[in-house]
Amino acid sequence: MTDCFIYDAVRTPRGKGKKNGTLHEVTALELATQVLNNIKDRNTIDTADVDDVVLGCVAPVGEQGACIARTAVLNADYDQSVSGVQINRFCASGLEATNMAAAQVMSGQAQMSIGGGVESMSRVPMGSDGGAMVADPSVAIKNYFVPQGISADLIATKYGFSRDDVDSYAVESQKRAKKAWDENRFDKSIAPVKDINGLTILDHDEHMRPEATMQSLGSLDPSFVMMGEMAGFDSTIQQRYPEVEAVNHVHTAGNSSGIVDGAAGILLGNKEMGEKYGLKARAKIKGFASTGSEPSIMLTGPGYVSDKLLKNLGMDKSDIDIWELNEAFAVVVLRYMEHMGIDHSDINVNGGAIAMGHPLGATGAMILGTVLDELERSNKSTALATLCVGGGMGTATVIERV
């Protein structure tokens, strides 16, 4: 196997995924294009040396459809020889895309590739692509399908996490994100989004609510009570988990991931490509994995895939210095810490999607870049990044500083 190195990691700021969000006027294609242009310009590469661009996009329809990766390659004026492919592993799409791009290099089938992702949730709403898992009763019924919020509340109920537990986690996420921004910890990776005149539209994550407190979060109504009780999803998941007498609905808009727009890219290559352009390798991809998990509880995959990946690599949890897990819901991280036996001080040290938002197709690449920046800032060696995935899956990647 050929070593695959990370040479650069770039992301846009996250804009609120609503019509009044700053990035609502910017298409997903333009977000992806600006990321690709930043990678090209920051590293002064001849794009003819890029073999492929792999981008995650969870709702690949409308203006995000038609293989947005190839369209972005052409729109960014990359050499026409550069191919592009869009992939969808739900919330882990950006990390899976990066893993696929890395696999091309590791197998010797590519010398340089770009992985990443994009999602404009203000312009192409979540769920726009439909799907049998949700809409076809013959599929949904046998898999005890419920929306993710019900799954999150089931995890809280089954494993004994209270409303105070999830709100407390959310407040800490906001504090850590603000501290990270105040200390310029994201400066190396952020590529401000610009308009057609080259003027900056957005240069910070605008979803953050650093003023959040236990009192303010406690005033929010649970988001999934009506869905669970009136639409019958509580009864559905209790058929799969009959030991749960009643689902305790603890998740709100304040302790769940924010809906946002954004894009990210990771420049990957072998040693020879780095030497050709005088690029300093920032980290090596040690390995990656994906796995399936029970689809109704849905969000417990990160623990199982982390176990699988560490075993595949002959590593132990003690070999990991920093952990990064997408904050789809607060309980996802709380259960993961319990499963892995790790401390909150070692995971999501710069906050996460509860504070900054979760642009579905891009988040995986964003958190990989974030944890790489943190390894360098804290002078540590090895990190594991992972995400829970719709339909009951998990994806994880281990990187090691060079």
Side-chain angles (χ1 to χ4, degrees):
M1 296 287 286
T2 301
D3 285 337
C4 177
F5 298 101
I6 298 176
Y7 287 108
D8 201 7
V10 176
R11 76 165 175 94
T12 68
R14 299 165 170 102
K16 290 181 182 178
K18 300 179 180 179
K19 290 184 178 180
N20 64 353
T22 302
L23 297 183
H24 177 63
E25 65 187 82
V26 184
T27 66
L29 174 60
E30 182 60 23
L31 292 174
T33 297
Q34 292 197 24
V35 164
L36 292 182
N37 277 329
N38 268 279
I39 289 174
K40 172 178 62 177
D41 296 342
R42 284 161 53 127
N43 299 282
T44 60
I45 56 174
D46 180 350
T47 58
D49 281 331
V50 178
D51 292 286
D52 200 12
V53 173
V54 188
L55 294 183
C57 182
V58 176
V61 296
E63 62 189 32
Q64 288 187 169
C67 189
I68 192 170
R70 173 60 174 171
T71 312
V73 162
L74 297 173
N75 203 44
D77 296 320
Y78 274 45
D79 191 89
Q80 68 177 14
S81 65
V82 182
S83 52
V85 61
Q86 171 269 328
I87 67 103
N88 179 11
R89 198 187 288 279
F90 297 130
C91 297
S93 296
L95 188 61
E96 186 65 47
T98 303
N99 292 345
M100 289 175 62
Q104 296 174 353
V105 175
M106 295 166 76
S107 65
Q109 304 306 304
Q111 294 191 79
M112 180 176 281
S113 57
I114 295 172
V118 62
E119 205 84 30
S120 177
M121 300 181 75
S122 69
R123 298 176 65 92
V124 183
M126 181 168 50
S128 295
D129 53 331
M133 186 181 295
V134 177
D136 186 341
S138 67
V139 177
I141 291 172
K142 77 173 186 178
N143 290 299
Y144 300 96
F145 169 80
V146 296
Q148 284 192 6
I150 303 296
S151 299
D153 285 341
L154 171 70
I155 294 170
T157 305
K158 182 175 172 62
Y159 294 101
F161 295 106
S162 68
R163 173 68 182 268
D164 280 352
D165 291 333
V166 292
D167 280 351
S168 178
Y169 181 89
V171 170
E172 181 63 18
S173 178
Q174 296 285 353
K175 288 180 178 178
R176 291 184 181 193
K178 183 180 189 305
K179 181 178 175 64
W181 271 102
D182 288 348
E183 295 182 357
N184 303 313
R185 296 185 186 182
F186 301 128
D187 277 5
K188 186 178 291 187
S189 299
I190 290 290
V193 178
K194 300 181 182 296
D195 65 14
I196 58 174
N197 298 311
L199 300 176
T200 296
I201 299 173
L202 185 66
D203 62 2
H204 64 281
D205 292 323
E206 69 172 343
H207 181 270
M208 291 167 52
R209 297 183 295 273
E211 72 284 354
T213 63
M214 289 293 289
Q215 290 72 30
S216 64
L217 293 190
S219 69
L220 300 175
D221 291 331
S223 298
F224 307 105
V225 173
M226 184 172 295
M227 187 180 291
E229 296 178 357
M230 302 299 289
F233 286 114
D234 281 0
S235 297
T236 299
I237 207 161
Q238 284 175 274
Q239 292 177 53
R240 179 65 183 83
Y241 292 89
E243 70 273 21
V244 175
E245 294 184 6
V247 177
N248 182 22
H249 293 285
V250 298
H251 286 93
T252 68
N255 55 41
S256 306
S257 56
I259 294 173
V260 294
D261 305 331
I266 309 287
L267 179 63
L268 304 156
N270 59 21
K271 181 181 178 181
E272 289 73 23
M273 275 293 112
E275 291 175 343
K276 177 176 181 177
Y277 289 105
L279 301 176
K280 182 182 184 300
R282 298 177 61 190
K284 180 172 71 173
I285 303 283
K286 282 189 68 70
F288 42 81
S290 290
T291 193
S293 58
E294 200 282 301
S296 192
I297 203 168
M298 196 180 307
L299 308 173
T300 54
Y304 303 125
V305 76
S306 297
D307 291 341
K308 175 182 179 179
L309 179 55
L310 292 175
K311 181 179 179 181
N312 288 349
L313 294 173
M315 298 175 70
D316 184 79
K317 70 178 185 181
S318 62
D319 296 316
I320 304 299
D321 298 310
I322 307 174
W323 308 74
E324 192 79 19
L325 168 59
N326 181 41
E327 295 174 351
F329 300 89
V331 80
V332 172
V333 189
L334 293 173
R335 173 56 190 155
Y336 182 76
M337 290 191 290
E338 186 177 74
H339 177 102
M340 300 303 299
I342 58 177
D343 190 77
H344 194 183
S345 62
D346 296 324
I347 187 169
N348 296 0
V349 298
N350 293 311
I354 289 173
M356 294 177 284
H358 175 23
L360 303 178
T363 305
M366 286 186 173
I367 68 170
L368 190 66
T370 294
V371 82
L372 172 57
D373 285 345
E374 181 59 25
L375 281 178
E376 293 173 339
R377 187 194 71 84
S378 59
N379 196 30
K380 294 181 179 178
S381 173
T382 308
L384 185 150
T386 184
L387 302 93
C388 59
V389 185
M393 292 184 283
T395 296
T397 305
V398 171
I399 62 172
E400 180 182 68
R401 283 180 65 202
V402 178

